[in-house]
Every structure is written in C-alpha cells, then in structure tokens.
Amino acid sequence: MIKLDLSHAKLNESPSVWKDKVAELDAALVNKTCAGSDFTGWMTWAQDYDKEEFARILTTAKKIQDNSDVLVVCGIGGSYLGPRACIEMVNGLYPMNQKVEVIYTGNTFSSTYINQVMEYIKDKRVTVNVISKSGTTTETAIAFRILKQFMEDKYGDEAKDRIIATTDRARGTLKALADKEGYETFVIPDDIGGRFSGITPVGLLPIAVAGISIEDVLKGLGDGMKEYGSANIDENPSYQYAVARRILQNQGYDVEMFVEYEPQMQKVAEWWKQLFGESEGKDGLGILPDSAVFSTDLHSLGQFIQDGKKVLFETNLYVDQPPVDFPFPSDKENLDNMNYLAGKSIDWVNKMAAQGTLDAHENTGGVPNIVLTMPGMTAYDFGNMCAFFFKAIAMTTLLNGSNPFNQPGVEVYKKNMFKLLGKE
Ligand code: PA5
C-alpha cells in the first residue's frame, strides 16, 4: 500500500474539509453517474478481466519466450507507456535474467529511430505485438507497415504466427487486418481508455513476455482498489493526495514535479504524466505534470527548484525497500576521501540524499512537498500504484468539474497533420 505524508505540503487547509464533496463525487464515480463514466472499467478490472483471455496471454507469452529473442511492442501513448513503465521498474534498465528483450516502436515519426529499430532486429528472432485501440494511430500504423513487410520477408507464412494484435474487440482497421491475416488478437476493453489500459492485455502480454508475474500485477491492482476504495477521505490516501493537489493549485501552484530516486522508474513518471496531463488538462484547467529523477536531476533542475520562481510543488515517490542494496566498500589508501561512507549501504545514501533534498526544498526553498512511499518495485507494487493514481486522478479531475476520461485536445494536431500529409 502507498503511504502518504502531507506534513511537508504547506497546505493552508486540511483535505478533510473537502469530505462531503469527495464523498459525493466518489458516489458518482462508483455509481457511474459522473462525466465519462463509460470509461470506468478499470475500477473492477481486477475481478472482471476475461479469465480465458488471461490464460491465452500466459500461453502466448511462453511461446514467445521459447521462440524469440526480441518482442517489438508497436504502440504509442496509452498503448505502450504502461507496459514499458512496469517492465523497466521491475526488471531494470539492463535486465540480466529477462529471456526476451522488449523494445518499442510505433511511438515516433523519426526515420532515424524507426530505421535503428529495424537494423537492430534484422538478425534476431522476432515477435511483434502491435497495440492500438483505434487501429488508426499514424505513428503506430507507419511503423507497423514497415514491421509487417519485414516479418513477411523474413518469415514468409510463419509471419502471421509471430504478429499479435492488441486492439478493439470488433471495430477498426487493425482488427480487420488482423482477422484477414489470421493474427492472434487480444482485446482492449471498450470501457477502459488508453492511459488506464496498462493493466489490460495492452500491458499484460509484454509484461508476461518480460517474465514478470501478471497475476501479481492484477493482485496489486485489486488490493489497491480496496485500500484506496473508501469514500471517506480520512481513510483514503489516494483521495487525500487528489485533494491536496487541488488545495495547492488554489494556493497558486500550477506545476507538479513528480520526483523519483530510482532511474528505472523514469518511465513510471512518463506514464504518470500522460495519466495526469491527459485526464486533467482541459477546460482551461489542470496542473502541468512534470518529472525529475533525483539525485541525477538535482544537478540540472535543482537550482530552479531551490531558488527559481515558485510555480511548482513536488510529489516524491519514494521506494521503501529497493530490490537490491549493498555496502559501499572501504579503501585502504582512501585517496578519494570517501571512507567516511565505508560500510554504509548505497540505498541509505540515496535515502539521506532524499531527506536532505526534502529539507532544502521545503524549508530553505519554500517548495511544498507531498511524499508518497511505495513498499518496493515488484509487479504487485506496480498494480497497487496504478490503483492509487487511477483513483487519485479520477477524483482530482472531477473536483475541477472536468471529465477525467476523454482527451479531445489531442485531436487538434492530428487534423492539421493529416491536412499537411494529404490524408483524405
Ligand atoms: O490515452 C489515450 O487515449 C492516447 O494516449 C492513446 O492511447 C494513444 O493515442 C494511442 O491510441 P490508439 O491505442 O488508438 O492507437
């Protein structure tokens, strides 16, 4: 369970004051009477997921582990950030024990990047998982056409057994193409939007291929939905966080810096930015989601946070028990003068850096700090964290009077781009 500490947040009122409003909006969310309630399937997904499909995901993942060196995930936004966040958080950036490498394309128009992916996979045993709910996303469609031709050239008839489509149950170009070609397909549920879909087959297949327990992801999600399930704000840390954000924005803070101390959680921050930015940034409202990995970014952004314009508050996501820790070695000669740390654990140093930074930013810099602590970096923790942030973003956006589950703003650039590209 994620723990919340608001004692450094400089709130000028207690979140409890918002109790009645929160209870009212929670009822609207649970009873599906809130704006966008057609897209709240994530709330009961941990129980309601299709068990037959789940078994098929496990079988398919095993097959890929046996016959492939690389899984190419072809998707963008909600159709790739969830699995990438989970895989990197749990397995790390240079995983030693992952049977199949997972790499990503379909998330850019960069010819250089797309070409580099194709060069990288050309002599490897490859499976492709193309992921798109609409089936028409241009970044994904461009990369997939190139991948499809590559797979057909490389594997002939066998290509169809090495391409898997995760898409809408019945509609869309990708579904029609997959049916025609005879690809295995998995379903993105109608009632779960892109940025909430990492817990569905969108995430579950790549995560399982990476050797991570998807049973644990769903267990963490289900437990989280209970732990952050109370309508009473005093018993619900997710809702306290949701309200604290609103209070801080009322106090003039329009930017939230999401801070982590684990480099392998950087994609969790990207996932969080999409979840929060796309859900809340509408109707001329919202807090701009930004992120940093400390202590790395203390050497770049630290100056601004400490002494710059007071536009932001920080939300720190600490990890209580990282999967690995070890002592700093002693050195007989001590030429680097580092022996004062000999025998101390590296994670202890990381935690002291976090404590010192919190104190500097809060007390000298005057920056409000919210502190969240997750127990570890396991598959279970990932699922549980999803529940925490899903509930929080739904509540904090409803408090603005906006629909948390649509994204009308992302269509505008597409219209302009299609015109320039000459799309009918
Ligand atoms: O949250 C969203 O809706 C978006 O980020 C989508 O996930 C993204 O645009 C990809 O869409 P699709 O899955 O239709 O290809």
Side-chain angles (χ1 to χ4, degrees), residues 133-369:
K133 188 166 187 181
S134 62
T136 54
T137 301
T138 317
E139 290 88 339
T140 304
I142 284 181
F144 181 59
R145 177 180 284 197
I146 295 165
L147 278 168
K148 181 173 182 289
Q149 290 182 355
F150 161 84
M151 293 296 278
E152 286 166 357
D153 288 349
K154 184 174 169 94
Y155 290 109
D157 275 355
E158 200 203 328
K160 71 172 175 33
D161 301 323
R162 287 179 170 271
I163 299 177
I164 297 149
T166 306
T167 187
D168 190 86
R169 186 181 308 277
R171 286 175 305 238
T173 313
L174 179 58
K175 174 65 180 156
L177 184 155
D179 287 348
K180 169 125 196 322
E181 297 286 4
Y183 301 156
E184 170 115 52
T185 58
F186 295 101
V187 173
I188 309 179
D190 287 341
D191 58 354
I192 302 184
R195 55 193 175 273
F196 292 80
S197 71
I199 51 168
T200 73
V202 168
L204 296 179
L205 179 63
I207 291 169
V209 171
I212 296 167
S213 165
I214 54 175
E215 290 88 346
D216 286 359
V217 171
L218 292 186
K219 175 91 175 75
L221 177 77
D223 288 354
M225 284 299 165
K226 289 185 205 128
E227 286 159 355
Y228 317 121
S230 176
N232 179 351
I233 189 170
D234 294 332
E235 295 167 1
N236 189 334
S238 169
Y239 284 176
Q240 287 165 30
Y241 167 57
V243 169
R245 299 176 77 255
R246 290 278 72 89
I247 295 173
L248 284 166
Q249 192 166 35
N250 289 344
Q251 290 174 216
Y253 298 101
D254 286 325
V255 180
E256 179 173 12
M257 179 79 75
F258 186 77
V259 172
E260 298 152 325
Y261 283 79
E262 297 289 345
Q264 68 197 59
M265 288 177 67
Q266 197 259 338
K267 287 294 183 300
V268 169
E270 297 306 315
W271 168 86
W272 173 89
K273 280 195 274 194
Q274 188 205 0
L275 181 65
F276 275 55
E278 238 176 42
S279 300
E280 184 186 43
K282 56 193 63 155
D283 307 325
L285 299 169
I287 295 172
L288 175 69
D290 196 359
S291 68
V293 178
F294 288 173
S295 64
T296 315
D297 294 334
L298 287 172
H299 299 256
S300 56
L301 292 169
Q303 172 63 35
F304 187 98
I305 299 168
Q306 188 71 44
D307 286 340
K309 192 162 183 198
K310 297 298 161 215
V311 290
L312 66 87
F313 66 94
E314 291 170 286
T315 294
N316 302 275
L317 182 58
Y318 295 162
V319 176
D320 191 24
Q321 297 284 333
V324 179
D325 193 13
F326 57 93
F328 185 66
S330 172
D331 186 280
K332 246 203 310 227
E333 295 193 65
N334 194 28
L335 295 175
D336 54 7
N337 290 326
M338 293 299 288
N339 266 357
Y340 76 101
L341 289 177
K344 302 275 197 240
S345 95
I346 299 288
D347 186 56
W348 178 82
V349 175
N350 205 16
K351 288 193 163 57
M352 290 307 102
Q355 203 174 302
T357 304
L358 178 66
D359 184 33
H361 290 183
E362 178 197 354
N363 296 319
T364 314
V367 177
N369 268 256

Side-chain angles (χ1 to χ4, degrees), residues 92-113:
L93 298 174
Y94 309 106
M96 304 289 285
N97 299 320
Q98 197 175 299
K99 278 192 188 158
V100 179
E101 185 179 8
V102 182
I103 63 170
Y104 304 89
T105 190
N107 54 357
T108 175
F109 292 124
S110 161
S111 50
T112 310
Y113 180 86

